[in-house]
Amino acid sequence: MPANEGTRTYDAVIVGGGHNGLVAAAYLARAGRSVLVLERLGHTGGAAVSTRPFAGVDARLSRYSYLVSLLPAKIVRDLGLDFQVRGRTISSYTPVERGGRPTGLLVGGGEQRTREAFARLTGSEREYEAWQRFYGMTGQVAQRVFPTLTEPLPTRDELRRRIDDETAWRALFEEPIGVAVEENFADDLVRGVVLTDALIGTFADAHDASLAQNRCFLYHVIGGGTGAWDVPVGGMGALTDALATAARTTGAVLATGHEAVRIATDGHTAEVTYRTADGEGVAAARHVLVNASPQELAALMGDPSPEPAEGAQLKVNMLLTRLPRLRDASVDPREAFAGTFHIAEGYDQLAIAHAQAAAGELPAAPPSEIYCHSLTDPTILGPDLAGRGYQTLTLFGLHTPARLFARDNDAVREELLKSTLAQLDAHLAEPLTDCLATDADGRPCIEAKTPLDLEHDLRLPGGNIFHRALSWPYAQEESGRWGVETRQANVLLCGAGAVRGGGVSGVPGHNAAMAVLEA
Ligand SMILES: Cc1cc2nc3c(=O)[nH]c(=O)nc-3n(C[C@H](O)[C@H](O)[C@H](O)COP(=O)(O)OP(=O)(O)OC[C@H]3O[C@@H](n4cnc5c(N)ncnc54)[C@H](O)[C@@H]3O)c2cc1C
């Protein structure tokens, strides 16, 4: 769409073409509304994209987000998306050294096998039984909470009644999650595996009084009503592409390379000024939906900036010529890497890493988790690479808040990458670098993104992958009917920063569209 074409009026202008902006666009366009999406980057998708990051190498990696859990089947159905996910046969593998010998815990591959794996590691049936009880409880909560995400916000009491389990309510909503983890589990490794779901993209301790870790945990165990994390077939870009197609074919205009720079509104109609390579333009609308972060919304409206929301993760993408062999020879690497492979994520290790980072140091043993997409879905590799047995690895590191990178992002990135890979190497029978593929220029196929990189590339505030700390999924003061409302009646948030936003879910996009259609 050219700049300076004169002011056109739309029913809705959407600022940001991340997956949530596209969900909102598709719902509104299907309802017959005229929709313009302004995306500052040259492509849609935001943090839900696939790219070929390595020169001359035909591997389409989910560059940022990589697993899907929170996307309701309803959205896929309503929008007729050509998009599928595939379950993982292995849930997780955690290597550890016990009694001077390499061993580990493989969760998945059937109930009997998992039971035996727990017994082998811990010497009794107790931890497995606790695991079954605990995840039975979260499964019940998931079934009751997940369907509410695409309904108007329940009150706290309504949600509590709906959950109808006071033990679960206390464990998840009232006491720091560390209490439930310690009450239910005795083994340090098992405790650590459970706790990691509370720390993804969230810099908190198990006992943090803010309960930010509880909210993170909740969103990690309720997806799809089961808490399963599935592999997007074709990579995360396949979802964005399907959404862009759904929006476009129903008439939405997707304008990439268009950066919104100002929103002016009297509460009834609005004007959005945008900038392109050719200059400035203005689009008028009844409603403006903001898929960008709350920080960006405040800047666009000329409001004071909300509390900064710091991210704390390292994301590493790799292409390997083969999977590395493990020191724990009882496990096939094809199984170990198919699920979430936990590194330095024992319960005590997580607490130490958090304390070190909170004191301003990089964790000495940085915790992280890795997973191999191509084992479950090889379609992201070109036929030549797939035929030669190449595999992708994605690593998500914890407990490295943005402030640690402020002194020199490049140097700290390099130092952290080295120490993170050293933690992985400690469990491998050969160094990971021996398995890294090389690109067309002979460079190893590995890239790392710090919180500051994400802020720079994607405008995630402080590199926060959820735009801001996750919210409870119930109504709070000023959260409005759908959790997307702002101080102006015709300006809505439709991105991760909304109540019930965060993650690849499409939920805030859906909810903002519903709020517009109800108005
Ligand atoms: C490294 C990483 C790993 C993750 N892993 C997972 C995972 O495995 N599973 C999961 O569920 N979630 C994961 N997440 C979180 C998830 O990706 C995000 O929460 C989600 O993608 C947010 O989607 P969104 O559409 O709300 O916002 P975004 O994806 O942030 O999109 C916002 C869009 O707005 C655009 N924009 C910003 N400002 C302007 C402006 N002024 N004008 C025009 N356009 C603008 C941006 O360029 C961007 O395209 C991960 C995130 C990261 C970064």
Side-chain angles (χ1 to χ4, degrees):
M1 196 188 61
N4 305 322
E5 63 159 11
T7 304
R8 252 199 75 179
T9 300
Y10 296 83
D11 290 320
V13 169
I14 300 180
V15 175
H19 85 284
N20 274 313
L22 297 175
V23 167
Y27 270 103
L28 292 175
R30 283 170 73 84
R33 304 296 171 97
S34 58
V35 179
L36 169 67
V37 177
L38 300 170
E39 168 54 52
R40 61 180 272 272
L41 296 174
H43 56 81
T44 53
V49 288
S50 299
T51 45
R52 290 186 178 80
F54 308 121
V57 179
D58 191 9
R60 278 187 94 230
L61 304 182
S62 300
R63 193 172 216 172
Y64 306 106
S65 51
Y66 47 99
L67 288 171
V68 175
S69 176
L70 291 160
L71 176 71
K74 169 186 161 45
I75 292 181
V76 177
R77 257 195 330 268
D78 285 354
L79 301 180
L81 301 182
D82 179 15
F83 171 71
Q84 285 167 1
V85 293
R86 200 168 284 164
R88 300 185 296 171
T89 51
I90 300 298
S91 165
S92 72
Y93 170 70
T94 311
V96 68
E97 198 163 299
R98 292 243 163 122
R101 284 190 23 251
T103 177
L105 177 66
L106 189 83
V107 180
E111 169 155 5
Q112 186 56 26
R113 207 168 153 207
T114 307
R115 179 186 290 279
E116 284 165 13
F118 271 86
R120 225 179 5 259
L121 181 82
T122 64
S124 84
E125 296 271 303
R126 189 192 168 283
E127 289 296 270
Y128 180 66
E129 280 156 15
W131 180 277
Q132 291 288 79
R133 263 197 319 276
F134 186 76
Y135 285 108
M137 175 272 280
T138 64
Q140 288 283 329
V141 172
Q143 279 178 28
R144 289 162 194 187
V145 174
F146 193 66
T148 69
L149 298 189
T150 44
E151 296 168 2
L153 277 168
T155 64
R156 189 172 193 271
D157 285 345
E158 280 165 358
L159 195 71
R160 186 175 186 161
R161 275 199 299 278
R162 191 149 176 167
I163 289 173
D164 192 24
D165 176 346
E166 283 300 303
T167 309
W169 181 264
R170 182 175 54 81
L172 300 176
F173 290 78
E174 291 193 336
E175 288 176 354
I177 194 73
V179 174
V181 173
E182 289 166 28
E183 263 175 22
N184 284 279
F185 303 101
D187 187 276
D188 181 83
L189 179 147
V190 178
R191 284 179 172 181
V193 171
V194 177
L195 182 64
T196 53
D197 275 343
L199 306 179
I200 299 288
T202 300
F203 185 59
D205 179 69
H207 291 279
D208 205 301
S210 73
L211 303 189
Q213 72 282 25
N214 288 47
R215 297 193 288 276
C216 182
F217 186 81
L218 188 68
Y219 284 92
H220 275 87
V221 296
I222 59 172
T226 63
W229 284 84
D230 294 331
V231 178
V233 175
M236 213 43 112
L239 173 61
T240 288
D241 291 348
L243 286 168
T245 302
R248 228 184 251 118
T249 52
T250 42
V253 179
L254 309 186
T256 55
H258 282 58
E259 175 174 2
V261 291
R262 194 164 53 254
I263 299 172
T265 182
D266 60 5
H268 299 285
T269 56
E271 284 195 345
V272 182
T273 307
Y274 57 84
R275 199 173 288 147
T276 70
D278 302 330
E280 276 196 0
V282 176
R286 165 81 182 91
H287 284 98
V288 179
L289 278 61
V290 178
N291 176 210
S293 68
Q295 258 80 358
E296 189 77 7
L297 168 67
L300 291 169
M301 303 274 291
D303 289 343
S305 193
E307 281 287 291
E310 198 178 30
Q313 69 292 318
L314 178 75
K315 171 79 198 286
V316 185
N317 295 313
M318 296 172 257
L319 181 69
L320 308 181
T321 56
R322 63 176 191 283
L323 290 174
R325 283 176 290 114
L326 299 170
R327 286 185 62 219
D328 175 7
S330 70
V331 180
D332 183 340
R334 297 181 65 84
E335 291 204 306
F337 288 102
T340 300
F341 187 119
H342 298 276
I343 306 155
E345 292 190 331
Y347 196 68
D348 286 349
Q349 284 174 308
L350 287 167
I352 292 166
H354 179 267
Q356 288 171 338
E361 298 159 28
L362 280 180
S368 69
E369 41 200 75
I370 48 182
Y371 133 81
C372 174
H373 181 114
S374 49
L375 282 170
T376 306
D377 168 36
T379 67
I380 60 166
L381 295 175
D384 176 51
L385 296 183
R388 285 154 67 194
Y390 279 47
Q391 302 287 356
T392 60
L393 269 196
T394 185
L395 179 149
F396 193 97
L398 308 182
H399 285 343
T400 54
R403 66 192 100 129
L404 299 182
F405 299 84
R407 70 173 160 85
D408 183 342
N409 188 39
D410 290 342
V412 181
R413 184 197 305 108
E414 198 169 316
E415 185 186 338
L416 178 61
L417 180 60
K418 215 166 136 196
S419 56
T420 300
L421 294 184
Q423 291 304 312
L424 170 59
D425 275 348
H427 300 289
L428 303 182
E430 54 185 333
L432 183 79
T433 44
D434 286 6
C435 303
L436 280 177
T438 46
D439 70 9
D441 304 319
R443 284 188 300 248
C445 292
I446 181 165
E447 67 161 10
K449 301 276 183 190
T450 69
L452 296 189
D453 295 330
L454 297 181
E455 182 167 67
H456 176 265
D457 297 350
L458 298 175
R459 281 217 191 151
L460 299 176
N464 190 311
I465 70 169
F466 306 131
H467 291 189
R468 67 169 158 205
L470 292 164
S471 60
W472 294 114
Y474 52 71
Q476 294 176 60
E477 230 177 287
E478 294 181 10
S479 52
R481 176 170 154 79
W482 287 95
V484 297
E485 291 78 358
T486 73
R487 72 175 175 84
Q488 289 287 3
N490 64 339
V491 178
L492 304 169
L493 260 181
C494 71
V499 179
R500 306 183 290 189
V504 177
S505 70
V507 165
H510 167 273
N511 291 348
M514 294 307 117
V516 168
L517 295 176
E518 271 183 5

